[in-house]
């Protein structure tokens, strides 16, 4: 339940998504996530770092091996979401 609580917080999954291809600096994350405030960004970065999902290095923030595994675990959910979106849009 703690993991679902962490992942369910605003912007958490988007931040993880943005880090999937490698390190990204905080300013770049803010630019990529329109509507994300700097205070929420830094709070989420702190929470995700404390949870061992990401770490800061000289290139910015990056997924840890645990964070990369999470990204892989979310793959089936992403596939389901694509199917849901197709089904949902065809019923509108």
């Amino acid at each position: 339940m703690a993991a679902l609580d962490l992942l369910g917080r605003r912007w958490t999954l988007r931040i993880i998504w943005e880090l999937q291809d490698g390190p990204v600096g905080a300013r770049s994350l803010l630019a990529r996530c329109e509507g994300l405030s700097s205070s929420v960004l830094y709070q989420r970065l702190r929470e995700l770092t404390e949870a061992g999902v990401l770490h800061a290095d000289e290139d910015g923030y990056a997924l840890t091996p645990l964070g990369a595994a999470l990204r892989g675990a979310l793959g089936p959910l992403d596939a389901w979401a694509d199917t849901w979106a197709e089904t949902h849009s065809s019923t509108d």
Side-chain angles (χ1 to χ4, degrees):
M1 292 307 296
L4 291 176
D5 178 54
L6 175 66
L7 297 176
R9 294 176 188 162
R10 286 180 307 146
W11 295 102
T12 298
L13 290 175
R14 176 64 185 269
I15 292 167
I16 292 168
W17 177 266
E18 292 297 338
L19 296 175
Q20 69 182 337
D21 293 327
V24 178
R27 287 181 188 233
S28 293
L29 282 170
L30 279 172
R32 293 180 184 191
C33 302
E34 187 176 331
L36 173 60
S37 71
S38 60
S39 61
V40 170
L41 172 64
Y42 287 109
Q43 182 177 357
R44 294 300 173 263
L45 292 173
R46 187 173 37 259
E47 292 167 350
L48 290 166
T49 298
E50 290 172 359
V53 175
L54 58 87
H55 70 278
D57 64 20
E58 63 277 354
D59 296 321
Y61 290 89
L63 295 175
T64 63
L66 184 63
L70 170 61
R71 183 66 193 112
L74 292 173
L77 180 59
D78 188 40
W80 178 87
D82 288 342
T83 301
W84 176 82
E86 289 172 12
T87 304
H88 181 69
S89 65
S90 67
T91 60
D92 288 343

